[in-house]
Amino acid sequence: MSLELEGAEMKSVLNRLRRAQGQISGVIRMIEEGQDCEDVVTQLSAASRALDRAGFAIIATGLQQCLTNAVDGAAPGENREQMRARLEKLFLSLA
């Protein structure tokens, strides 16, 4: 199953991932500089949320595409139940 993000969806996901990338770089810098633990954890939490939101957006788009075109969304030889189980596993991996 390939994921096709378009327009606003693509921009939103990429912005979230770039934000997380910047936050992770900030966390690394903060640790190297020996900054306050609470500030480091706060920044790490923000990065984690940004990654979660990007992941949920990607999964939601994938689910929408699969529901719109269930036959094309399935892997070769995969039935609807197998596809549902695979998508559920992806979704739960972020929970």
Side-chain angles (χ1 to χ4, degrees):
M1 168 176 64
S2 65
L3 179 65
E4 298 174 16
L5 295 174
E6 296 179 6
E9 293 171 337
M10 174 72 80
K11 185 176 180 180
S12 175
V13 168
L14 290 176
N15 283 341
R16 285 182 173 139
L17 291 173
R18 286 187 183 105
R19 185 177 310 124
Q21 183 180 31
Q23 290 165 328
I24 291 169
S25 294
V27 169
I28 292 169
R29 187 187 75 255
M30 292 169 78
I31 291 171
E32 290 173 342
E33 294 172 356
Q35 292 196 18
D36 182 64
C37 178
E38 187 175 335
D39 293 339
V40 171
V41 171
T42 298
Q43 194 68 8
L44 189 58
S45 176
S48 178
R49 280 192 310 274
L51 288 172
D52 286 345
R53 287 180 180 224
F56 285 131
I58 290 169
I59 288 174
T61 300
L63 288 172
Q64 181 181 19
Q65 289 175 6
C66 287
L67 291 174
T68 301
N69 196 352
V71 175
D72 289 344
E78 184 177 51
N79 65 36
R80 291 180 90 122
E81 181 60 28
Q82 290 168 323
M83 182 175 59
R84 188 204 59 76
R86 185 167 47 95
L87 291 171
E88 180 180 337
K89 182 178 177 182
L90 279 174
F91 184 77
L92 291 173
S93 72
L94 291 175

